[in-house]
Amino acid sequence: MPGNSSSLALFMRQRSALVNYASNIIGSRVLAEDLVQEAWLRFDAASKGRFLDDATGYLYRIVRNLALDSKRRDAREYSVTNASDYDIAVQVSADEAPDPETVILYKDDYAKAMEALGELPERTRIACEMHRFGGAKLREIATYLDISVPLAHKLVADGIDHCRQRLGGWP
């Protein structure tokens, strides 16, 4: 198992409190469990096996940042997939390019997402990829695919739903 014994012992002592903390922010204990596991991986990578002076505070900051990021992603996703006003939905843009640490952490998830996207009908896959990976707005997708904006919205939402089902959740 990664990490030295003192940092792992600290994490195990704080784990329950960290889950409660994350759960209060994001409103889901199940997601909080996953988030705390991700926080441990980041903490372990950042500490590179050495014990940090304010390790507890650092763990809480990692959990807080991950929880707030998750909450923002969920709110943004909800506004796109459930907007009845398509003009509002098309104004929501994709995240900027991820940092190298995030790329490494999510490499396997990316491969699974690509596999799930490959299962979609071509038009749905293109719409979803344009939106999620290219940052294209629904109007741009509609123009490219020669479809209506509401249909572009439906294709993106269907693609995201499929990926969420296959991956057990998708940011």
Side-chain angles (χ1 to χ4, degrees), residues 7-8 10-11 38-48 50-52 54-56 58-59 62:
S7 63
L8 180 59
L10 169 71
F11 174 75
E38 184 177 339
W40 161 249
L41 294 173
R42 289 186 183 203
F43 174 78
D44 184 53
S47 67
K48 296 188 184 2
R50 66 182 190 279
F51 193 75
L52 304 172
D54 186 20
T56 303
Y58 187 58
L59 264 171
I62 293 171

Side-chain angles (χ1 to χ4, degrees), residues 2-163:
N4 65 33
S5 61
S6 58
S7 63
L8 180 59
L10 169 71
F11 174 75
M12 294 308 293
R13 279 194 312 272
Q14 296 296 322
R15 189 182 169 288
S16 180
L18 290 167
V19 170
N20 289 338
Y21 180 63
S23 182
N24 286 336
I25 295 171
I26 61 177
S28 167
R29 188 155 185 89
V30 172
L31 292 176
E33 294 274 351
D34 291 341
L35 191 135
V36 168
Q37 284 304 111
E38 184 177 339
W40 161 249
L41 294 173
R42 289 186 183 203
F43 174 78
D44 184 53
S47 67
K48 296 188 184 2
R50 66 182 190 279
F51 193 75
L52 304 172
D53 287 335
D54 186 20
T56 303
Y58 187 58
L59 264 171
Y60 273 89
R61 281 191 300 278
I62 293 171
V63 168
R64 179 183 174 274
N65 290 342
L66 289 172
L68 292 174
D69 288 348
S70 175
K71 195 171 182 175
R72 279 191 292 269
R73 270 192 315 271
D74 288 348
R76 188 173 40 253
E77 187 66 41
Y78 180 83
S79 71
V80 170
T81 60
N82 295 306
S84 59
D85 182 351
Y86 296 110
D87 289 330
I88 292 172
V90 298
Q91 293 174 9
V92 178
S93 65
D95 289 336
E96 293 181 19
D99 59 59
E101 178 187 83
T102 303
V103 171
I104 291 169
L105 286 172
Y106 291 104
K107 188 175 181 180
D108 290 338
D109 289 340
Y110 177 78
K112 290 176 188 173
M114 292 296 100
E115 184 179 326
L117 284 168
E119 298 167 355
L120 293 170
E122 183 179 12
R123 195 167 63 165
T124 304
R125 179 188 51 77
I126 291 169
C128 197
E129 286 175 349
M130 285 179 71
H131 180 69
R132 295 297 291 191
F133 302 120
K137 294 181 166 71
L138 293 174
R139 284 207 172 116
E140 295 167 335
I141 296 167
T143 300
Y144 180 80
L145 294 174
D146 195 28
I147 58 176
S148 67
V149 172
L151 181 55
H153 179 262
K154 180 175 179 0
L155 293 176
V156 170
D158 288 350
I160 291 170
D161 286 344
H162 173 77
C163 290

